[in-house]
Amino acid sequence: MQDSLLIELQLFPSLQYLSKWLGFSVILEGEEHYRKGSFRNRYHLATAQGKLALSVPLEKGKHQQLPVREVKIDYKKDWPKQHWRSIETAYGKAPFFDYYGEEVRAILESRPSHLFALNWAALQFLLEHFQLETPSFSAQFSHQFEAGIDFRNQIRPQQAKAPDPYFAPLPYPQLFEDRLGFLPHLSALDLLFCMGPEAPYYLAQQFKTP
């Protein structure tokens, strides 16, 4: 029986994030309060100019004190169109962009009112194509997770936390690798657009047992 691992719901998360499904029974934190400066509303892509951070704007208010399921998305600007244009520009020539692109576009253009719903749709898309199991959700919030490994807030944009003992980032063919070198810590969309059906194989190489 696999150990449980608790982690927050992120937007189009990274391979480091998805790799947890390979060694643990994942539980998604569904009862926390929103935290700024995280991957909850942003994700990273590779472009010809380097790494690009895309973020989803949120309605004004004290998100830090809001239950995560209540955080609303701001649509005053047409960010779904901007995100899609960035993705299309970055990956339009990737080998498997035409195969997966429209699904990604549909997620962005679905315009859910809440961030939690958008993140869940994005994660379900990745779980399907990486052939990973659907996780469960936490029933209540607790500062201490005693039923397994607490990995909440360990995967962050600045990567300032201690090294992940369960993850070994290994290079795979990227679209702009010839000019930029290998870029780690991108959204799993990068691997999916570049390697298609082989993506689960490359993901499997990145999980390790400490």
Side-chain angles (χ1 to χ4, degrees):
M1 184 175 180
Q2 289 181 315
D3 291 336
S4 296
L5 181 142
L6 181 65
I7 197 167
E8 76 274 14
L9 185 57
Q10 299 185 1
L11 177 60
F12 289 121
S14 66
L15 299 180
Q16 181 184 6
Y17 183 100
L18 292 183
S19 70
K20 301 300 172 279
W21 269 254
L22 300 175
F24 301 98
S25 176
V26 176
I27 301 171
L28 293 177
E29 174 59 81
E31 306 303 325
E32 65 175 354
H33 284 65
Y34 182 79
R35 293 183 61 159
K36 297 179 180 179
S38 72
F39 281 122
R40 289 170 179 82
N41 71 322
R42 74 183 70 186
Y43 54 105
H44 292 163
L45 306 177
T47 74
Q49 288 73 44
K51 187 180 293 186
L52 173 67
L54 294 178
S55 61
V56 171
L58 306 176
E59 288 193 356
K60 291 183 178 180
K62 296 183 179 179
H63 304 120
Q64 192 84 358
Q65 300 175 21
L66 270 182
V68 68
R69 292 178 185 267
E70 297 179 16
V71 175
K72 291 186 176 181
I73 299 173
D74 187 348
Y75 288 101
K76 292 184 180 67
K77 293 184 179 180
D78 194 357
W79 67 262
K81 181 182 289 185
Q82 295 171 352
H83 280 218
W84 174 246
R85 284 177 177 171
S86 295
I87 293 170
E88 191 174 32
T89 300
Y91 295 106
K93 295 182 180 179
F96 295 94
F97 177 78
D98 290 341
Y99 190 81
Y100 302 106
E102 285 305 313
E103 286 186 78
V104 175
R105 183 176 186 174
I107 292 170
L108 294 172
E109 293 184 350
S110 64
R111 293 176 175 260
S113 59
H114 290 77
L115 180 66
F116 200 85
L118 176 65
N119 290 2
W120 178 230
L123 180 59
Q124 285 180 297
F125 163 78
L126 290 174
L127 294 179
E128 176 186 353
H129 292 297
F130 279 88
Q131 302 170 18
L132 301 171
E133 296 291 330
T134 300
S136 59
F137 284 92
S138 59
Q140 60 186 16
F141 179 78
S142 176
H143 289 286
Q144 301 292 329
F145 180 63
E146 299 179 354
I149 297 172
D150 189 347
F151 221 79
R152 291 174 295 184
N153 305 306
Q154 296 300 304
I155 302 175
R156 304 174 62 181
Q158 300 304 320
Q159 294 297 323
K161 290 286 185 177
D164 184 343
Y166 310 105
F167 180 69
L170 296 176
Y172 56 86
Q174 290 181 326
L175 203 58
F176 307 107
E177 189 174 1
D178 58 336
R179 69 183 80 169
L180 300 173
F182 180 75
L183 297 177
H185 305 302
L186 301 176
S187 166
L189 290 174
D190 183 80
L191 175 57
L192 196 60
F193 286 144
C194 290
M195 301 307 297
E198 293 187 66
Y201 168 79
Y202 281 91
L203 176 65
Q205 309 308 306
Q206 313 209 20
F207 178 80
K208 68 175 185 177
T209 303

